[in-house]
């Protein structure tokens, strides 16, 4: 067992036992009890998250030829200069959390509202950051006017016009674009695993190829990404999803579709991470993606702690372990070029609204706490960067700094 995998299984299982009381369950088998006891001992010894010389995360990443960044909303910039300063200090990449989604960008069929995303691009450029685009084709964040204005006859023209106008507006300025977001959904029961999204209903499965071809023709100087969630765990459901995604990527690439990278969202759930993260399965998946000639970005990483125990130090230690263990495995793969967290500070996280804690305590899923102080999660990320193998940034002319 590699040292890293040992730590993963030790830290994780011990943490799980601590909050589920699994060791006391009469039905728990002998080997499980033994594992839990061994791991509990290790946990008691306390894992270290030390760092020799604390630097901003972007610097730890850059030393290894990686990029680190986070999602942000435009309104935080104006109302929270302290947060904006932390963001500029820690991040090389910035991704608008909602400003480039249709609902914000398209008040009507005829209008484009670029002002919020333009403000974020200006902030990025003033602070030596690069901006990513998120996202051109998604089944969510669809404007209300779609219900009356869009149909299978005009959808292609509307989609192509949207991609040309939006990518044209930012041509040559963005690091990368999530062209198609979350195209796989096995519960829709299609043989190809595709999500039965509005775009698929209007245009058929070829909407994905259409979107990438239009994107490549509009801005040949940006990295085109297919972004997906639910790829991280060794469960029957997620194993099938990874297979369906690989099949889709193979098919698209065999037709010459200009996809450059896979975006792995990596919204981790602490309780699932400790039970279902399998380093070998993850390595094999990343190798399969890299073998297709694709780069890989971790695009929306966070660790949902709503099901963890209330006790703060224990909770923070588990979250930090999950960050470090996940990234350590992922960053072994040289095709991984960037890591973005979905937010930087617990002050602003979608999880507070979407997955709050039953005990009403604030959630703590991100590298900085709500007071903008670095947490153990920050150490976990920094350590994974500093132990990662180096990679070359010179892989493509797209990645100018
Ligand atoms: O803008 C309105 C505001 O006017 C209103 O006062 C407020 C209160 O209801 O809502 C605001 O809009 C919300 C918007 O976030 C901005 O905060 C929407 O209701 C809310 O649905 C929206 O949620 C976003 C969600 O995507 C849907 O677009 C989350 O912030 C964002 O974190 C989340 O991000 C997604 C990624 O794009 C794709 N992967 C999963 C990830 C998490 O769900």
């Amino acid at each position: 067992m590699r040292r890293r995998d040992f730590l993963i299984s030790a830290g994780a299982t011990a943490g799980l036992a601590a909050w589920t009381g699994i060791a006391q369950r009469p039905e728990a088998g002998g080997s499980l009890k033994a594992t839990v006891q061994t791991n509990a001992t290790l946990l008691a010894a306390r894992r270290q998250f030390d760092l020799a010389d604390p630097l901003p995360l972007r610097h730890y990443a850059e030393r290894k030829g990686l990029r680190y960044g986070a999602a942000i909303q435009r309104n935080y910039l104006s109302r929270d200069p302290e947060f904006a300063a932390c963001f500029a200090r820690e991040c090389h990449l910035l991704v608008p959390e909602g400003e480039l989604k249709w609902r914000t960008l398209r008040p009507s069929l005829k209008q484009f509202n670029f002002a919020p995303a333009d403000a974020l691009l200006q902030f990025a450029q003033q602070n030596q950051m690069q901006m990513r685009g998120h996202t051109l084709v998604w089944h969510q964040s669809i404007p209300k006017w779609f219900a009356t204005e869009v149909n299978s006859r005009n959808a292609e023209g509307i989609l192509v016009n949207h991609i040309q106008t939006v990518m044209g507006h930012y041509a040559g300025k963005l690091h990368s674009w999530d062209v198609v977001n979350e195209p796989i959904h096995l519960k829709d029961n299609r043989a190809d695993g595709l999500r039965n999204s509005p775009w698929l209903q209007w245009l058929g499965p070829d909407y994905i190829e259409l979107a990438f071809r239009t994107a490549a023709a509009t801005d040949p100087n940006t990295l085109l990404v297919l972004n997906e969630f639910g790829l991280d765990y060794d469960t029957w459901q997620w194993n099938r999803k990874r297979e369906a995604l690989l099949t889709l990527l193979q098919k698209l690439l065999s037709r010459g579709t200009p996809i450059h990278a896979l975006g792995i969202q990596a919204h981790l759930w602490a309780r699932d991470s400790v039970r279902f993260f399998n380093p070998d399965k993850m390595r094999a998946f990343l190798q399969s993606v890299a073998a297709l000639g694709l780069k890989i970005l971790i695009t929306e990483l966070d660790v949902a702690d709503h099901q963890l125990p209330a006790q703060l130090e224990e909770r923070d230690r588990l979250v930090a372990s999950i960050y470090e263990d996940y990234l350590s495995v992922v960053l072994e793969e040289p095709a991984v070029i960037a890591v973005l967290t979905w937010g930087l500070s617990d002050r602003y996280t979608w999880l507070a609204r979407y997955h709050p804690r039953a005990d009403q305590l604030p959630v703590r899923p991100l590298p900085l706490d709500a007071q903008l102080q670095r947490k153990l999660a920050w150490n976990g990320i920094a350590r994974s960067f500093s132990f990662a193998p180096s990679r070359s940034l010179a892989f493509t002319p797209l990645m100018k700094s």
Side-chain angles (χ1 to χ4, degrees), residues 97 101 134 138 182 265 267 300 342 350 353-354:
E97 194 173 338
K101 292 174 182 170
H134 173 83
W138 195 24
E182 304 173 0
Q265 292 188 9
H267 290 290
E300 306 184 13
W342 204 240
W350 72 291
R353 182 171 168 193
Y354 283 76

Side-chain angles (χ1 to χ4, degrees), residues 237-286:
Q237 185 188 18
W238 297 145
N239 291 342
R240 279 183 60 227
K241 187 164 184 179
R242 284 196 299 275
E243 280 167 27
L245 178 62
L246 282 173
T247 305
L248 172 66
L249 290 171
Q250 278 156 358
K251 187 173 154 204
L252 289 165
L253 290 167
S254 73
R255 293 159 64 148
T257 311
I259 299 179
H260 306 138
L262 173 67
I264 296 178
Q265 292 188 9
H267 290 290
L268 305 181
W269 283 36
R271 201 171 68 174
D272 288 347
S273 275
V274 299
R275 288 188 291 191
F276 303 127
F277 181 59
N278 179 334
D280 286 336
K281 281 255 169 88
M282 196 67 192
R283 286 184 190 106
F285 174 64
L286 297 172

